[in-house]
């Protein structure tokens, strides 16, 4: 079995437990590719260096980091420097022959830099940003990952991609995991975060939604606040790419794989007609965001 696991970069993620469980899965013969984020450490480093952190909200309600050239350098220090090497060392301590990579290595993640980024101000005005170093992944070097997996390595990937012009780009970790899972035709993609899964009430863990049929995912968008929107978009992209199951949860990887978090399972309609039902998911996110913004809803970017 091939698993693609994404571990979040926010505060409160149970990293030590997840690393032990990955080691257990590898010992049981499962092939794992690990991707990670770095939002909390990036914010901490920005604060120490006196660099202002900017979070932007796109017109379709997606929350992301504004990445100018200085932020990109700090982000690279966090994800490709400290976090990636720490995770590799933790896995090595548990007997896993982990290998750290950034998406720029071996053209592992090739992305298109966004020429402009649109951001909605608190007053509702749309502004255009042209110096943002973020990208959308277009190609994954799956042959390199398979070669490493076949040689007994566990790849650990930092979410930095390479542009067509050779620039480093900040890419979303959840969507990077979806691209990798699709390229490897993984059996399961797991997103480990600091919340139990998709909640109908973000303040109440007992409102967890445990199971979502893939063809009804758009019906649950109203409950996805802040970063959870990117996780659902990553789930959508993985399912459209042929990954049969996506799990979202916290604390224990093994528990989430057993159904403790939110599980989205592919339905046959996706493979019969890739245009359904997710072709309009980002449009549905836009409509949902507009509706909630009119109601004065707020979003927590750490989810």
């Amino acid at each position: 079995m091939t698993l693609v696991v994404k571990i979040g970069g926010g505060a409160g993620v149970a990293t030590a437990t997840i690393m032990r469980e990955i080691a257990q899965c590898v010992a049981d013969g499962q092939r794992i590719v690990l991707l990670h984020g770095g939002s909390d450490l990036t914010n901490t480093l920005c604060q120490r260096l006196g660099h202002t952190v900017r979070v932007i909200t796109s017109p379709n309600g997606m929350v992301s980091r504004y990445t100018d050239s200085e932020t990109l350098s700090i982000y690279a220090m966090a994800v490709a420097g400290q976090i990636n090497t720490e995770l590799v060392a933790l896995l090595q301590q548990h007997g896993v022959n982990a290998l750290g990579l950034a998406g720029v290595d071996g053209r592992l993640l090739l992305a298109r830099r966004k020429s402009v980024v649109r951001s909605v101000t608190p007053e509702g005005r749309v502004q255009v940003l042209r110096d943002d170093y973020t990208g959308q992944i277009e190609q994954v070097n799956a042959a390199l990952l398979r070669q490493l997996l076949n040689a007994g390595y566990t790849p650990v990937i930092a979410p930095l991609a390479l542009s067509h012009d050779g620039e480093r780009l900040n890419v979303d970790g959840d969507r990077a995991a979806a691209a990798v899972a699709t390229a490897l035709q993984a059996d399961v993609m797991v997103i480990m975060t600091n919340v139990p899964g998709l909640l109908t009430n973000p303040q109440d863990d007992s409102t967890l939604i445990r199971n979502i049929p893939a063809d009804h995912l758009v019906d649950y968008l109203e409950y996805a606040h802040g970063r959870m929107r990117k996780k659902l978009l990553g789930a959508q992209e993985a399912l459209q790419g042929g990954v049969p199951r996506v799990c979202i949860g916290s604390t224990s990887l093994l528990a989430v794989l057993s159904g403790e978090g939110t599980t989205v399972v592919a339905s046959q309609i996706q493979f019969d007609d890739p245009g359904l039902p997710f072709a309009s998911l980002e449009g549905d996110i836009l409509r949902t965001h507009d509706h909630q913004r009119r109601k004065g809803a707020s979003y927590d970017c750490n989810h």
Side-chain angles (χ1 to χ4, degrees):
M1 177 181 285
T2 299
L3 303 178
V4 171
V5 178
K6 192 269 181 170
I7 181 169
V13 177
T15 302
T17 298
I18 297 167
M19 294 304 104
R20 286 196 301 269
E21 293 178 332
I22 287 176
Q24 181 178 335
C25 291
V26 172
D28 290 340
Q30 297 181 28
R31 292 152 59 98
I32 293 183
V33 176
L34 176 64
L35 293 94
H36 62 84
S39 58
D40 193 53
L41 179 58
T42 302
N43 291 342
T44 299
L45 291 178
C46 284
Q47 184 177 15
R48 290 177 181 173
L49 295 170
H51 182 66
T52 302
V53 175
R54 287 183 61 185
V55 176
I56 59 177
T57 303
S58 68
N60 65 4
M62 294 292 185
V63 178
S64 61
R65 180 188 304 281
Y66 171 62
T67 309
D68 58 12
S69 59
E70 186 174 353
T71 302
L72 178 67
S73 296
I74 297 170
Y75 178 76
M77 285 192 289
V79 297
Q82 185 169 331
I83 296 174
N84 192 269
T85 54
E86 283 182 350
L87 293 176
V88 169
L90 278 172
L91 289 173
Q92 292 285 354
Q93 289 171 20
H94 292 295
V96 176
N97 198 5
L99 181 80
L101 297 162
V104 298
D105 296 318
R107 300 174 70 85
L108 179 58
L109 302 177
L110 189 64
R112 173 179 52 82
R113 181 181 173 184
K114 300 172 184 177
S115 57
V116 297
V117 174
R118 289 175 171 81
S119 173
V120 180
T121 68
E123 298 75 28
R125 181 172 59 86
V126 176
Q127 60 181 352
V128 175
L129 306 173
R130 299 184 183 278
D131 58 345
D132 188 70
Y133 286 85
T134 59
Q136 183 172 342
I137 296 175
E138 295 185 333
Q139 186 175 332
V140 176
N141 190 343
L144 174 58
L145 290 176
R146 291 192 189 97
Q147 188 174 13
L148 293 172
L149 290 167
N150 290 340
Y153 293 101
T154 295
V156 180
I157 303 173
L160 278 170
L162 188 70
S163 77
H164 295 284
D165 295 324
E167 302 165 303
R168 296 179 303 175
L169 299 176
N170 173 6
V171 290
D172 178 71
D174 299 314
R175 300 181 75 175
V180 170
T182 296
L184 293 177
Q185 287 297 281
D187 298 282
V188 187
M189 183 178 90
V190 186
I191 299 175
M192 298 299 297
T193 184
N194 55 1
V195 293
L198 181 61
L199 307 171
T200 59
N201 179 357
Q203 309 305 319
D204 185 356
D205 290 356
S206 69
T207 64
L208 175 69
I209 300 170
R210 293 193 176 275
N211 296 290
I212 301 176
D215 50 337
H216 290 286
L217 185 57
V218 294
D219 298 333
Y220 293 84
L221 286 175
E222 63 180 294
Y223 306 118
H225 305 303
R227 288 290 308 171
M228 185 57 71
R229 291 168 178 265
K230 286 278 183 72
K231 299 184 191 313
L232 288 189
L233 184 56
Q236 168 234 314
E237 292 172 350
L239 291 159
Q240 275 195 317
V243 179
R245 182 160 59 110
V246 177
C247 304
I248 304 172
S250 63
T251 308
S252 166
L253 172 64
L254 298 179
V256 171
L257 283 168
S258 298
E260 192 165 290
T262 297
T263 301
V264 189
V265 180
S267 54
Q268 189 61 42
I269 189 172
Q270 287 179 264
F271 304 108
D272 292 338
D273 185 353
L276 296 173
F278 292 131
S280 62
L281 181 57
E282 290 192 82
D284 284 304
I285 289 174
L286 174 59
R287 287 188 289 274
T288 301
H289 173 66
D290 286 343
H291 174 67
Q292 293 185 337
R293 185 154 55 90
R294 285 195 298 270
K295 295 194 300 181
S298 61
Y299 303 96
D300 182 355
C301 67
N302 290 323
H303 279 188

